């Protein structure tokens, strides 16, 4: 969802066109980091534990159940309600850039490059691969 990502997508598209490929773009919503859903889930669980200590058993149980259900939806059932909500909240766009050659003729070849990776965590902010 950054300016650099859009620049990379434009470059890839230009290179595909320059080399005779038919270009298709698929736009989608994204997050600046996928840590946000986990921060929310773990915060709900932490608040639940604190509420239990304060002796609010019913509300602690309800909050823990909500966090558990959201976690199941995110991770096991792949119905990412929390992630989708945050994507719409941040309103950042990303895209897949697909290049097709000899469409509908003979063997199909896929050229894949991953250029749109979000930060996994703020701990990795500024992390760079050199070489």
């Amino acid at each position: 969802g950054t300016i650099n990502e859009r620049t990379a997508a434009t470059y890839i598209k230009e290179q595909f066109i320059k080399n005779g490929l038919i270009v298709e773009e698929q736009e989608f919503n994204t997050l600046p980091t996928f840590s946000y859903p986990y921060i929310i889930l773990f915060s709900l669980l932490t608040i639940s534990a604190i509420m239990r200590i304060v002796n609010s058993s019913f509300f602690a149980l309800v909050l823990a159940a909500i966090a558990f259900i959201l976690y199941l939806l995110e991770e096991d059932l792949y119905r990412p309600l929390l992630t989708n909500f945050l994507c719409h909240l941040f309103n950042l766009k990303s895209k897949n850039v697909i290049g097709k050659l000899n469409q509908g003729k003979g063997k199909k070849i896929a050229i894949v490059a991953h250029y749109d990776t979000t930060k996994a965590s703020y701990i990795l902010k500024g992390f760079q691969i050199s070489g």
Side-chain angles (χ1 to χ4, degrees), residues 45-62:
L45 290 172
T46 303
I47 293 167
S48 172
I50 292 169
M51 289 175 75
R52 175 60 184 106
I53 292 168
V54 177
N55 212 9
S56 296
S57 296
F58 175 74
F59 293 113
L61 181 62
V62 169

Side-chain angles (χ1 to χ4, degrees), residues 55-84:
N55 212 9
S56 296
S57 296
F58 175 74
F59 293 113
L61 181 62
V62 169
L63 203 54
I66 290 169
F68 181 68
I69 290 167
L70 285 172
Y71 176 79
L72 285 178
L73 289 170
E74 289 283 323
E75 296 298 323
D76 288 337
L77 302 175
Y78 198 68
R79 301 282 187 244
L81 296 179
L82 191 54
T83 299
N84 287 340

Side-chain angles (χ1 to χ4, degrees), residues 85-98:
F85 170 75
L86 291 171
C87 282
H88 289 294
L89 188 68
F90 280 97
N91 198 30
L92 296 174
K93 302 292 183 192
S94 185
K95 69 172 81 170
N96 295 321
V97 182
I98 301 164

Side-chain angles (χ1 to χ4, degrees), residues 6 24-29 92-97:
R6 286 188 291 279
E24 177 186 334
E25 296 178 318
Q26 300 171 336
E27 191 173 83
F28 55 92
N29 293 323
L92 296 174
K93 302 292 183 192
S94 185
K95 69 172 81 170
N96 295 321
V97 182

Side-chain angles (χ1 to χ4, degrees), residues 29-39 83 87 116 118-121:
N29 293 323
T30 191
L31 293 174
T33 173
F34 282 100
S35 296
Y36 291 150
Y38 295 103
I39 289 169
T83 299
C87 282
D116 62 345
T118 64
K119 292 176 199 68
S121 166

